[in-house]
Amino acid sequence: MRYEDFLRRAPKVELHCHFEGSIRPATVLALASKHGMTAPTSDADRLYDYERSDQFFELFGFVAATMNDAEDYARCVYETVEDGVLSSNLRYREMFFNPTLHTRNGVTMKTILEGMSAGIEAAAADFGVPVALIADVYRSDTLACAMQMLEELLEWRCPALIGLGMDGEEAPDPPEKFAEVFARAGQSGLRLTSHASEDAPPANIVTCLDVLGCERIDHGYYVLDDDETLRRCRDEGIGFTTCVTSTVKAYFTPVLADHPIPAMIEAGLLVTLNSDDPTMVATDLGEEYVQLCTALSYGPDVVRRLCLNGIEVSWLDPVDKTAMRQSFEEELHSLEREMSASARRDRPSAPKTDRDSDRQTMEEFQ
Ligand SMILES: [Zn+2]
């Protein structure tokens, strides 16, 4: 077994994956056709070609607009879970979605949640992989719009809906804008997280923790810029849901050794690996592990830590966490033994251990 196969087959939890950013391009085109919409291209391989972040957000909105009835939502949810399972040995996901990108097109919250729940149930039945939902406030929305979204979510609340998050462009709309929405969500028993300090100062992390009451931080790379925030997040065990490919493309150097994620791991933060918008940035969860772990020559010990961090940072209850931890430990141990056995049989395929000689750039792997 090659080391890349070990990384793909390692059991994984995913805590930062956007539903709308994880739809198969062929499905987007099929749904657009079903509803009489004109897609930017009829070529599925080129649908997710974009250059700038504003084009990304436009495309993200288009994908959301192709979903219209409960069957559309059920299909899309089922397929994204299937993709995670087949590509990456996904075992549990807490998945973001942006309700207002759908309701603004006239789709009701009831339809969205019923459709997504049906897809979640079908995927759980076929793959044994549970999925929970985190509804994201879209930062460019008004406070009133976000509050109305929350009220509708609470009215049509389904068992899968466990949390509230926040995404969209960070710099123009700081987190405190939505403090009232987070307060109401927290009082209603939803768990809280937020994209923060992805492209803005670490003060946004502090605001999310102290003003919004967030339990974890999505991205959070600029935590490295402030010693006090860094120390606090480490000491309090704040989880960070980081993403390699999407941030390399948008913000950081293609040389992964220089990406903030390795430094965050080195600093002792509770880091998890995630795919963000997998189909839109042409990655998957397993590929995120391959990219980071091969570029940094991370051995199985670090891989184990990253996999187990996913469980630790998740909002599973303690009993489920313990069971999943045990199952992951056993599976990782078995995969390691299989990898060692195949390395003995076939030396050239053994994982390298020389950190310097193994360091490679993103381009070499693409
Ligand atoms: Zn994200």
Side-chain angles (χ1 to χ4, degrees):
M1 187 198 304
R2 296 181 313 149
Y3 194 49
E4 287 194 9
D5 296 326
F6 167 77
L7 292 166
R8 289 183 190 286
R9 289 172 59 186
K12 300 174 190 76
V13 162
E14 180 154 54
L15 306 175
H16 187 153
C17 177
H18 298 266
F19 171 57
E20 298 84 350
S22 69
I23 312 301
R24 295 174 187 168
T27 299
V28 174
L29 294 181
L31 293 180
S33 168
K34 174 183 169 183
H35 298 298
M37 297 171 67
T38 304
T41 172
S42 57
D43 182 352
D45 292 337
R46 298 192 57 201
L47 180 66
Y48 292 143
D49 286 353
Y50 58 87
E51 296 292 326
R52 306 183 312 268
S53 66
D54 61 314
Q55 293 171 320
F56 172 89
F57 285 110
E58 197 178 323
L59 202 49
F60 198 83
F62 176 78
V63 171
T66 63
M67 295 175 220
N68 230 296
D69 53 45
E71 289 73 28
D72 299 342
Y73 288 92
R75 171 184 176 175
C76 290
V77 167
Y78 183 91
E79 289 180 354
T80 179
V81 179
E82 181 177 39
D83 289 346
V85 171
L86 297 181
S87 68
S88 314
N89 196 8
L90 175 70
R91 303 288 282 276
Y92 173 63
R93 180 188 280 171
E94 290 170 4
M95 183 163 70
F96 297 126
F97 69 116
N98 282 90
T100 61
L101 289 185
H102 303 266
T103 55
R104 74 181 183 185
N105 301 318
V107 183
T108 65
M109 194 68 82
K110 179 174 184 284
T111 297
I112 298 167
L113 290 176
E114 282 182 357
M116 293 188 83
S117 295
I120 287 171
E121 282 169 26
D126 285 358
F127 310 117
V129 171
V131 172
L133 296 173
I134 303 169
D136 270 2
V137 169
Y138 204 50
R139 289 180 195 273
S140 55
D141 286 344
T142 62
L143 172 61
C145 178
M147 192 56 97
Q148 187 188 337
M149 175 192 92
L150 177 61
E151 294 304 337
E152 290 176 15
L153 284 166
L154 295 176
E155 183 181 355
W156 298 106
R157 195 167 179 172
C158 57
L161 181 68
I162 61 166
L164 185 82
M166 176 159 59
D167 61 25
E169 286 191 276
E170 186 176 359
D173 294 289
E176 56 269 27
K177 174 181 171 185
F178 296 102
E180 209 181 306
V181 184
F182 275 73
R184 167 105 171 93
Q187 287 155 9
S188 306
L190 290 174
R191 310 295 294 265
L192 304 174
T193 185
S194 179
H195 285 50
S197 207
E198 177 187 7
D199 56 356
N204 279 3
I205 293 176
V206 178
T207 304
C208 286
L209 296 175
D210 294 342
V211 180
L212 268 51
C214 292
E215 302 165 69
R216 64 191 192 212
I217 297 295
D218 305 308
H219 294 301
Y221 308 111
Y222 290 97
V223 68
L224 296 167
D225 287 1
D226 185 80
D227 287 346
E228 196 181 324
T229 307
L230 176 64
R231 202 177 312 117
R232 176 209 171 159
C233 289
R234 186 185 56 219
D235 293 349
E236 293 181 15
I238 301 297
F240 287 81
T241 68
T242 69
C243 312
V244 176
T245 305
S246 65
T247 55
V248 160
K249 204 163 184 172
Y251 303 104
F252 297 106
T253 167
V255 180
L256 279 184
D258 298 332
H259 193 287
I261 297 174
M264 290 167 77
I265 294 172
E266 188 81 15
L269 293 172
L270 194 52
V271 170
T272 68
L273 265 190
N274 308 271
S275 66
D276 210 354
D277 300 292
T279 54
M280 287 186 71
V281 300
T283 189
D284 57 55
L285 185 54
E287 182 66 17
E288 297 292 285
Y289 275 73
V290 169
Q291 293 290 347
L292 186 74
C293 297
T294 56
L296 274 295
S297 298
Y298 287 154
D301 52 333
V302 180
V303 177
R304 169 186 278 107
R305 182 142 49 93
L306 289 169
C307 292
L308 295 178
N309 282 355
I311 301 172
E312 179 67 28
V313 176
S314 80
W315 292 331
L316 287 165
D317 70 41
V319 173
D320 289 340
K321 280 189 180 184
T322 301
M324 192 172 282
R325 217 176 273 127
Q326 189 179 348
S327 153
F328 275 32
E329 291 273 20
E330 287 168 6
E331 195 166 333
L332 285 163
H333 187 59
S334 157
L335 283 169
E336 275 182 57
R337 287 208 321 218
E338 195 181 326
M339 184 167 60
S340 300
S342 67
R344 279 196 296 275
R345 284 195 306 271
D346 181 16
R347 277 289 163 197
S349 70
K352 296 170 185 172
T353 52
D354 183 341
R355 184 186 176 102
D356 293 328
S357 70
D358 202 30
R359 184 166 295 174
Q360 299 182 49
T361 65
M362 284 283 290
E363 277 103 11
E364 291 177 78
F365 284 101
Q366 283 173 338

